[in-house]
Structure formats: structure tokens, C-alpha cells
Amino acid sequence: MSENRKPLLGIVSKLPNGTALGNSGKTHCPLCLGLFKAPRLLPCLHTVCTTCLEQLEPFSVVDIRGGDSDTSSEGSIFQELKPRSLQSQIGILCPVCDAQVDLPMGGVKALTIDHLAVNDVMLESLRGEGQGLVCDLCNDREVEKRCQTCKANLCHFCCQAHRRQKKTTYHTMVDLKDLKGYSRIGKPILCPVHPAEELRLFCEFCDRPVCRDCVVGEHREHPCDFTSNVIHKHGDSVRELLKGTQPHVEALEEALAQINIMNSALQKRVEAVAADVQTFSEGYIKAIEEHRDKLLKQLEDIRIQKENSLQLQKAQLEQLLADMRTGVEFTEHLLTSGSDLEILITKGVVVERLRKLNKVQYSARPGVNDKIRFCPREKAGQCHGYEIYGTINTKEVDPAKCAFPIDIEKAKQTASFTLLCKDAAGEIMGRGGDNIQVAVLPKDKKDSPVRPMVQDNKDGTYYISYTPKEPGVYTVWVCVKEQHVQGSPFTVTVRRKHRPHPGVFHCCTFCSSGGQKTARCACGGTMPGGYLGCGHGHKGHPGRPHWSCCGKFNEKSECTWTGGQSASRSLLRTVAL
């Protein structure tokens, strides 16, 4: 199908600029742009010259409609209906709307002639003083008159001959210039089967116009009537279809109007958003450029500061080196070249100078480092209302300055601490990303380490957690950049999980049990009268509040009752009122 459209596109491309297919008026062909010549009406109701249609490249399609084709043609009105079957069909594409047109058996010339277009072309030619019209009889000379009876355009010679014939002597002749005000001057429509006969009748059975000879021939038994008698019925049916179609035209026009309105609103909205984007991007670029300049200035200030520190340290070390060399050279010269008396005389000055030089404190390493890092993902605040990123960081973590708390942990409970990283000046790093290594090893089972978890808080602190499996002593290693932090490695004592008290914290068994004689207490006290528990001022009472289960005096202590055979079962019955 796409290959068959190439010739059509080629023809369209040859049209003059600004010319749209289907908009050349009722008298001009949309392809050749000239006045219609033998115009053919396509099923899509577009009209094209016969010659232009013949230039279109046809293509083959499979037609499953059989004889029920909707292609209207005068050449096929007497063809018998074929049974419904698959058959090859030749077609073309409408050059205006690109609709598929199935050609009848007779090809392009079998398509319906657009007689309205023929009439419009004739009127157009009359308005141009008859230019382009030729005689209908001789087809050679220009037209001068028109026979109103025959509806034929005649030249001067054929007009005289027309008047000399007996049958046409009394026909009415009219000059072409007198026909310019007419709306219809078309020729009579002749029968395609009987070219000498005019189509004046209509076959209701075949639903098509016929001539007089057709009625007495192939349409002998069909109900036929004059076109003037049946036009009202068929015209009304067409008008009914037109009434149903016109609302669609209005709806489509309204829809297109709404689309145009929406398209205009869309364009305006796009322009407004584009302006917002442009304004935002220009402001953002300006903020980024300003932040860039600020970072570069900060970097230059850092360079100057570090260079000045290095130059000062260099000058101090050079001066100290010069003093050292002077002392060493003078002393060596004295010891090698001086006499005993000279050495003894200058010994005091030399010794004092050398002692003073030896006491001078100096650093053999540069006082500053080259640790300058750009962190593009770190927030740098706002600039002109825009959130910007990128900071210059000169801090370097110092393991000796890092700190964390130490505490006694409990077995099978998650223990945690926070590592605080600082630089050499003791200031918090304020950022994350450092290499933190943590190891938790049992002192007696170093081959069974506890797996720690390290969480970077991104602010210079690291949350470290681990879960000891058994009580005992553990060694915890905390390293930053493969160096132990302050206090690492350290030991942690892990105890068993805290055991709650099953009894009650009371003043005595008599009070807590409500005077029950069988209630006991771990303190071992008893009362006269058969009371097995303790009481105020009686034998075995400790004299202060205690736990009934284990006898401990601290209310928040851990219970030491083991629940062995030595403990009485009635001890558990001690309850609080």
C-alpha cells in the first residue's frame, strides 16, 4: 500500500506553494489546477479530472464484498450482481483525502461523471467571454450560440446548419453573452448504453436513471417513472440523511474550534512555563557562578594561609639550621684545632650555646598538609533563594582525637556507642565518609568474633552497635584510617541479662501477705504462733525493707534467687497487697 502512494505524493509535491488539495473551487481540478475536463466523482465525493485519475498508479486489494461494491458509476449500472467471494480488486487513492477508491470493471472512465462540475465549468467559461468552450458538434470552433432546446453549444457554422435542418429549424438560439446570469446551462445527460437517448426515467428496482430504450429493453418489467415524478421521494430521503449529517458538521466544527482554542492556550502556557524555566535557570546559573567564585576565593585563601604557614616554618627551620651549623662547626673546630687551654677558656660559652640549641623544640614534619577536598554533594546553604551544593573541606580526621564512651554491657542485648571523629585541632569533622573499622572479640574465644554494625550519621559521628552472645570480657577495636582511636583497644565486661524479682519488696511477710501463717520470706525470720514468715521486731527480721524472694535490701537490684530445692515453694506465694 505504501509503495502505491509514492506516485500520489509525487504529484502533490508538484503543486504550487500555498495550494491545498480540494480547495481549488468547484471548477478546478485539485491535481492539475485547471478547469475540469471530464470530471469524475469519487465515492468520497471529491471530483478529479479523468486524465489526472488515470495518471495515478493503481494497486491491488482483496475485495470480499462481491457485487455489493459502493463504487458508483454509470458504466456499471447494468452489470449483474456477482456472488459474494474473494476476488482481486484494483483501486487508487483519492488525491484529496487519501481514501481508497475501488475502481469498477471499466476503470477510471467507468466512474460517475460529476455533471454539477461540468455545469460550473461551463458557467465559469461563459464569465470569461466563452474562452475555452468549443462547439459540441464539430469540436473545433469556438462557441457563439447555444440551442436552448437541444442544450448544445454551437459555433457560427454549426448554428446555421442547425437552423437549416427541418427538425431543428424552430429551436431557440441564444447568444452566450445572454446566458451569463443563468445558474444552470448544462448539457442533457445521455444514456451510457444508448448515447442517442437522454436519461429521463428512473428505475425503482435498479435504483438508477434510465432512458426510453432501456425501459423497453432490459428494464421492461421494472417499475419505472419520469425523474420529475420520483425526485420528491428520493430527494426527501437524501434531505433526511443530510439532516442527520449536518449536526455532525456543526459538532466537528465546534470540536475543531475547541481544539484551536486549546492549542492557543497550550502555546501560551508553554511560553509562560518556558519563561519560568528560563528565569529559574538564569537565576540558578547566576547563583552557581557566584558560589563557584566564592569557592575559588576560599580555595585561594586556604592556599595563601597554608603557604604562609609553610614559609614561616621554613624560615624558622632555616634559621635554626644555621644556628645549629654554626654551633657544630665552631665546636668541631675548637675540639680539633684548639689547645687545651683554649678549649677550657671557651668551654663555658660553647656548652651554654649547645645546651640552648639542644633545648629548642621544633617539628621535623610540615606544619600543614595538602588535605584539601571538594565535596560536591554536601549542602552549602542557599544563594539568592536557591539551594546549592559543594563545599571545600580541609579537615582531616585524627584518630588520637576521636572519642567514645565505655560501659558494661549485658549478654544477648544490643550494645551501642557513638564514635565522635575530630580533626587535629580537636574540632568535630562535621561530615561522614571516613573509613571506620570495628572488631569485637571475646577474650577467651578470639576465633568467634561478634559482628558489629557501623552507621554513618554524615555529621562526623558514627553509631556502632553489636550484640554479645555470652557473658564475659570482650576486646573492642575501633580504628580510623587503620589507626586506633583514643582508648582503643578497650575491654568491655558483659554480664548476664538482668533477672527481675519474682517476689515483693516489703517491710515484713505478715504485712505483705495479709497475716497468712504459711507465707515465707527469704530473710529467714519467723513469728510466734506458727507464722513461717518474718514480722517486725521478731526473730530473724533484718530491721528494714527487703525482697521476699532473695532478701536483698536494694529495691532496684538484680534477683539472686536460683529457685533451687533449698527455697521453699510457699515463698512464691508472698504477694503485695
Side-chain angles (χ1 to χ4, degrees):
M1 181 70 73
S2 61
E3 295 178 359
N4 293 321
R5 297 192 183 192
K6 291 181 180 178
L8 172 63
L9 296 177
I11 294 175
V12 174
S13 63
K14 296 178 182 178
L15 296 178
N17 294 333
T19 303
L21 291 178
N23 293 329
S24 300
K26 300 179 181 179
T27 59
H28 291 73
C29 176
L31 283 182
C32 65
L33 304 181
L35 290 174
F36 281 122
K37 295 180 181 178
R40 300 289 174 175
L41 182 64
L42 303 181
C44 57
L45 302 185
H46 291 126
T47 304
V48 185
C49 293
T50 303
T51 307
C52 295
L53 289 177
E54 291 176 342
Q55 294 177 358
L56 299 178
E57 184 175 350
F59 55 87
S60 298
V61 295
V62 177
D63 184 15
I64 62 174
R65 297 173 297 180
D68 264 343
S69 175
D70 62 349
T71 303
S72 175
S73 65
E74 292 177 351
S76 61
I77 59 177
F78 302 111
Q79 296 177 4
E80 296 181 359
L81 297 178
K82 297 181 179 180
R84 184 181 299 271
S85 61
L86 290 174
Q87 55 181 320
S88 178
Q89 178 75 41
I90 302 301
I92 58 175
L93 295 178
C94 173
V96 178
C97 64
D98 209 24
Q100 178 179 322
V101 178
D102 297 336
L103 295 178
M105 295 298 295
V108 172
K109 292 183 179 179
L111 294 172
T112 303
I113 295 178
D114 189 350
H115 296 284
L116 289 176
V118 173
N119 180 75
D120 293 337
V121 169
M122 193 173 297
L123 289 174
E124 183 76 14
S125 300
L126 288 176
R127 296 187 184 98
E129 302 297 336
Q131 296 179 1
L133 289 179
V134 294
C135 179
D136 291 337
L137 297 182
C138 65
N139 293 325
D140 186 20
R141 303 178 184 87
E142 291 186 1
V143 176
E144 290 188 2
K145 294 183 180 294
R146 177 178 175 82
C147 177
Q148 292 291 75
T149 306
C150 300
K151 293 184 173 57
N153 298 323
L154 305 174
C155 63
H156 179 71
F157 179 79
C158 293
C159 181
Q160 292 179 346
H162 200 64
R163 288 177 176 176
R164 287 195 296 267
Q165 295 181 7
K166 292 183 179 181
K167 293 182 178 181
T168 58
T169 300
Y170 300 103
H171 286 189
T172 304
M173 295 291 181
V174 181
D175 291 337
L176 288 182
K177 61 182 180 180
D178 296 333
L179 297 175
K180 292 184 178 181
Y182 284 52
S183 60
R184 287 199 57 80
I185 57 173
K187 300 179 181 179
I189 303 176
L190 304 179
C191 178
V193 180
H194 309 98
E197 295 293 332
E198 184 178 355
L199 294 174
R200 297 178 179 273
L201 301 168
F202 187 82
C203 178
E204 294 287 352
F205 181 79
C206 300
D207 195 28
R208 60 189 70 246
V210 294
C211 69
R212 182 180 58 186
D213 291 347
C214 293
V215 172
V216 298
E218 298 180 9
H219 298 264
R220 182 181 302 124
E221 298 180 358
H222 296 176
C224 298
D225 199 352
F226 287 101
T227 55
S228 58
N229 295 334
V230 300
I231 185 60
H232 299 289
K233 179 179 69 173
H234 293 279
D236 291 342
S237 64
V238 174
R239 291 186 185 92
E240 288 298 323
L241 289 175
L242 180 61
K243 289 181 180 179
T245 307
Q246 286 175 337
H248 294 294
V249 175
E250 297 176 356
L252 290 173
E253 289 177 349
E254 179 65 22
L256 289 176
Q258 293 296 328
I259 290 177
N260 291 333
I261 294 174
M262 182 56 65
N263 187 43
S264 300
L266 175 63
Q267 294 298 328
K268 293 180 180 180
R269 186 57 186 163
V270 168
E271 293 175 359
V273 173
D276 294 340
V277 171
Q278 186 69 19
T279 303
F280 173 81
S281 58
E282 289 177 355
Y284 210 166
I285 292 173
K286 183 178 179 181
I288 292 175
E289 290 177 347
E290 183 175 332
H291 182 57
R292 175 202 61 193
D293 297 340
K294 186 183 299 183
L295 289 177
L296 293 178
K297 184 178 183 305
Q298 179 184 354
L299 183 61
E300 181 65 16
D301 293 341
I302 293 173
R303 182 191 66 82
I304 294 175
Q305 179 184 1
K306 287 182 176 288
E307 283 187 353
N308 290 340
S309 298
L310 290 175
Q311 292 299 326
L312 177 60
Q313 185 181 10
K314 179 181 177 182
Q316 293 174 346
L317 292 178
E318 287 177 347
Q319 181 62 44
L320 182 58
L321 177 60
D323 295 342
M324 291 288 184
R325 284 178 176 174
T326 299
V328 170
E329 291 174 357
F330 181 84
T331 304
E332 289 178 347
H333 178 66
L334 175 64
L335 294 176
T336 56
S337 302
S339 63
D340 296 341
L341 183 58
E342 291 173 341
I343 293 174
L344 293 175
I345 293 174
T346 57
K347 177 181 73 72
V349 177
V350 171
V351 169
E352 183 179 357
R353 180 57 177 172
L354 292 179
R355 287 178 177 173
K356 186 175 181 180
L357 291 175
N358 290 335
K359 292 180 180 180
V360 175
Q361 299 290 332
Y362 65 90
S363 174
R365 301 177 63 182
V368 296
N369 53 41
D370 60 347
K371 302 298 182 182
I372 304 176
R373 186 174 65 168
F374 176 62
C375 304
R377 297 183 180 276
E378 287 192 9
K379 291 185 177 181
Q382 290 189 347
C383 182
H384 299 297
Y386 295 93
E387 190 75 28
I388 55 176
Y389 293 82
T391 60
I392 293 179
N393 201 316
T394 59
K395 291 183 178 181
E396 187 70 13
V397 62
D398 186 358
K401 300 292 184 178
C402 299
F404 55 88
I406 302 176
D407 196 6
I408 297 178
E409 309 297 345
K410 296 178 176 60
K412 297 183 180 180
Q413 287 186 343
T414 301
S416 63
F417 60 90
T418 301
L419 174 65
L420 181 61
C421 292
K422 299 181 180 181
D423 60 5
E427 297 181 358
I428 300 177
M429 292 297 296
R431 61 167 177 80
D434 292 310
N435 184 18
I436 308 298
Q437 296 174 326
V438 180
V440 181
L441 303 173
K443 188 174 182 180
D444 298 333
K445 299 179 182 180
K446 294 186 177 181
D447 57 342
S448 301
V450 178
R451 183 181 178 183
M453 300 295 292
V454 180
Q455 178 181 335
D456 188 352
N457 296 327
K458 308 296 183 181
D459 58 357
T461 62
Y462 298 85
Y463 179 78
I464 302 171
S465 61
Y466 61 94
T467 305
K469 299 178 181 179
E470 298 179 357
V473 179
Y474 288 77
T475 302
V476 181
W477 297 46
V478 181
C479 297
V480 178
K481 298 172 59 176
E482 299 183 355
Q483 297 182 22
H484 284 283
V485 300
Q486 182 182 3
S488 176
F490 62 92
T491 58
V492 175
T493 302
V494 177
R495 297 179 179 177
R496 293 188 181 275
K497 187 177 180 181
H498 180 79
R499 296 178 57 191
H501 293 273
V504 294
F505 191 74
H506 61 183
C507 60
C508 68
T509 307
F510 183 84
C511 295
S512 62
S513 66
Q516 295 182 14
K517 290 186 176 183
T518 58
R520 297 174 180 268
C521 181
C523 68
T526 60
M527 290 192 306
Y531 288 92
L532 301 180
C534 62
H536 291 287
H538 294 281
K539 181 182 178 181
H541 188 269
R544 53 178 172 170
H546 55 281
W547 282 100
S548 64
C549 50
C550 61
K552 283 192 173 183
F553 304 126
N554 187 359
E555 185 177 2
K556 296 182 179 181
S557 63
E558 184 178 6
C559 185
T560 58
W561 176 65
T562 60
Q565 296 179 355
S566 60
S568 175
R569 293 181 180 269
S570 62
L571 181 66
L572 300 179
R573 290 199 295 264
T574 303
V575 295
L577 293 179

